[in-house]
Each structure stands twice: as C-alpha cells, then as structure tokens.
Amino acid sequence: MDFVLSGAAACGACLFTNPLEVVKTRMQLQGELKAPGSYQVHYRNVFHAFYTIGKVDGLAGLQKGLVPGLLYQFCMNGVRLGSFAVIESAGYIHTEDGRVIAGKSIAAGATAGVIGAVMGSPVYLVKTHLQSQSTSSIAVGHQHCHQGMVQALLRIQKQHGILGLWRGASAAVPRVTVGSASQLYSFTASKEFIRDLQIFPSDSWLVALSAGMVSSVVVVVAMTPFDVVSTRLYNQSVDSRGQGLLYRGFVDCFMKTVRKESLLGLYKGIGASYFRLGPHTVLSLLFWNELRKFYSQHQLHS
C-alpha cells in the first residue's frame, strides 16, 4: 500500500506540474553546446516560454508527454517514496527517541532514488522525447518525431534493442539519487524542526506543507545540474548502434556543457525547474504525507 499511495501522490502532483516540465525541458535544450549569444533564443524566460509554446503549439502543447509523465511518476516515485516509507516505518532512520539520523536518512533517500530511477528510465526517455517535440519554428534539441508513448517505446526497442530503452540511465541514476537524498532528508528533517517550533499542531497538514516548501528549494539547487545533463543525454540523437552522437555519457555531457556554456549552462532553466520542481515537491510530499496519515488512521479504526 505504501507504494500505491506514493505513486498516487506523485501522479496528483504531475497533473498540475507537467506544463512546467515541458517548459523546463525546452529551456534546458535551448542553445545546447553553443556559446551564449550565438544562437536564437526562442524562450527568454519561464513566462515567455509558456506564451510561446501555447501560441505556436496550442494549449495541448503544454501538456505534451503527460501520459508517460504520469506513468513515470507512478512507477518511479511509487517505488522511491514507497521504499523510503518502508525503511522509515522500520525505524531505520530514527533514533530510539524518534529523532532523524541525518546520515541514514540521506542513505535511505539515495538508495530509494537509485531503485526508482532504474525502473522509470524507459518511460522518462520517451517523456523527454515527446516534450521536446515542437513546431519547427520554435524547436530546440533533436526532434524524434514520435506519435505517442507506446509507438515510441516499440520504435526504440525495435531500432536499438531492449537496452536502448535504458539509454540515458547513466544520468538518471545520479540525478534521482541526488534529488531523492536531498528531498527526503530535507523534508524529514524540516518536519521535525517545524514540530519542535510548535507553530502548528504536530499532526496538522501545514507541517508537511511547510516542510515541503523548504525541501523544494534544497532539491532545485542540488538537482538542476544533474537534470540538465539528464535531459540532454535522453534527448540526443543516436547512431544505428544506439550510441549518442553528442555525448558519450554523463561525465562527457557534464564537461562539454561547462566548456561550451560555462557553469551557468548547468543551471539553464533553473527558473522553470523551480516553478516545476517546487510545486511538484510540495504537492507530492504533502499528498504522500496526508495519504499515509489517512491510511494509518483508517487501519487503526478498522
């Protein structure tokens, strides 16, 4: 049940934040491996990107990749948050008096992230492809021209074999590992700190909401460089053997981005990342906390 509740919470958040994921993906691919000022800027900022995509691709363009996005959230976050919930329930990350143990909490979050990233990688690959697809006048990054999630999965498997579906996983694992460790530790520790302050009743949903807001900032700062690299590795064009034409792997992408675009290139789209990851983190952690609390209370009364 922990896994189902976790997946449902993440899907609920995804419905609201998928347009921001589309914007973030486009901004991260814009000017790929080009020096600042040497390329046409289609998306000047988050709000201009929203306007441009809505105007050129239509409102439906802002929900591109929603189906694989929902499936990814259910699989990846269901496994990730569900695994962490099981570890937490077993008392692994708390002392005998219930205080959070930083090292164990970070390790548990990272471990849960690795499991979730590996399982969700094929769907994330297709989601990235679909969200980058656009009308040629505002297109950025390689255009894969898929017709939908199922067609894309079958096409990639046919062209590059079953392992081709895990292309880009070398970036997904560090991305989700760093994001998961920072998110779950900061959320757990923030909840404890807010309860200690006694601003709200200890079982109030406002505790989880406040902790989620703190966690969202931590996640965006820690995760954005890994997110940029991940998006580019997933979206790059490949040869007949399924090998990337722009990057050989995570380190190569990281170094090329820094060399061509400076360190700021690793923080491309950070505004969009916060507008997307911020609400998604807050909503998914809030829904996750409240659904677990509701289920626990239901179990007690049944």
Side-chain angles (χ1 to χ4, degrees):
M1 185 55 69
D2 275 325
F3 293 90
V4 174
L5 294 176
S6 301
C11 286
C14 181
L15 288 171
F16 295 98
T17 61
N18 190 65
L20 292 158
E21 178 78 2
V22 174
V23 168
K24 173 187 73 72
T25 298
R26 303 277 181 91
M27 293 186 77
Q28 289 176 341
L29 292 170
Q30 182 170 246
E32 187 173 12
L33 296 185
K34 294 178 181 175
S38 67
Y39 57 88
Q40 184 178 359
V41 178
H42 296 298
Y43 312 110
R44 293 196 295 269
N45 52 52
V46 178
F47 305 105
H48 181 253
F50 259 106
Y51 171 77
T52 302
I53 295 168
K55 180 183 177 183
V56 178
D57 288 344
L59 291 178
L62 289 166
Q63 281 290 14
K64 282 191 174 182
L66 178 61
V67 174
L70 288 169
L71 183 57
Y72 172 74
Q73 291 298 332
F74 189 82
C75 293
M76 192 279 284
N77 275 318
V79 170
R80 185 178 71 88
L81 295 177
S83 299
F84 187 83
V86 170
I87 295 169
E88 185 180 30
S89 298
Y92 179 77
I93 66 169
H94 292 103
T95 61
E96 290 183 3
D97 59 352
R99 309 297 291 181
V100 175
I101 304 171
K104 287 187 175 183
S105 180
I106 292 170
T111 303
V114 170
I115 298 168
V118 172
M119 290 193 65
S121 189
V123 187
Y124 192 90
L125 171 68
V126 170
K127 178 185 76 70
T128 303
H129 288 183
L130 291 174
Q131 289 177 336
S132 68
Q133 285 180 191
S134 180
T135 305
S136 59
S137 62
I138 60 168
V140 292
H142 183 72
Q143 300 291 291
H144 292 270
C145 304
H146 299 310
Q147 268 117 46
M149 180 183 75
V150 175
Q151 182 267 345
L153 288 168
L154 292 173
R155 179 183 174 189
I156 294 167
Q157 190 276 328
K158 182 178 179 181
Q159 290 178 344
H160 307 298
I162 194 72
L163 290 180
L165 293 169
W166 270 268
R167 186 175 77 244
S170 63
V173 170
R175 170 187 175 270
V176 180
T177 300
V178 169
S180 183
S182 58
Q183 181 196 65
L184 293 173
Y185 169 65
S186 59
F187 179 66
T188 307
S190 296
K191 273 201 307 181
E192 182 178 274
F193 179 72
I194 291 164
R195 284 193 180 112
D196 288 346
L197 292 177
Q198 297 183 343
I199 301 172
F200 311 114
S202 62
D203 61 344
S204 171
W205 62 273
L206 290 169
V207 173
L209 177 65
S210 303
M213 292 171 72
V214 173
S215 180
S216 68
V217 176
V218 175
V219 170
V220 171
V221 173
M223 194 174 174
T224 295
F226 297 89
D227 200 32
V228 170
V229 171
S230 179
T231 296
R232 292 182 174 191
L233 280 176
Y234 272 118
N235 195 67
Q236 69 173 328
S237 55
V238 295
D239 61 21
S240 59
R241 295 171 300 157
Q243 301 298 310
L245 296 178
L246 287 179
Y247 315 107
R248 294 190 301 275
F250 178 84
V251 175
D252 186 49
C253 181
F254 191 96
M255 297 305 294
K256 282 181 177 176
T257 299
V258 172
R259 269 202 307 270
K260 293 282 188 178
E261 305 170 53
S262 80
L263 279 171
L264 293 177
L266 292 171
Y267 278 91
K268 270 191 174 175
I270 189 170
S273 289
Y274 183 75
F275 277 112
R276 182 261 165 190
L277 268 174
H280 185 87
T281 297
V282 173
L283 289 172
S284 60
L285 291 178
L286 176 63
F287 292 161
W288 179 54
N289 191 78
E290 294 305 300
L291 284 171
R292 288 176 67 201
K293 192 163 65 177
F294 174 79
Y295 180 71
S296 296
Q297 290 171 349
H298 177 74
Q299 288 290 93
L300 286 173
H301 293 120
S302 61

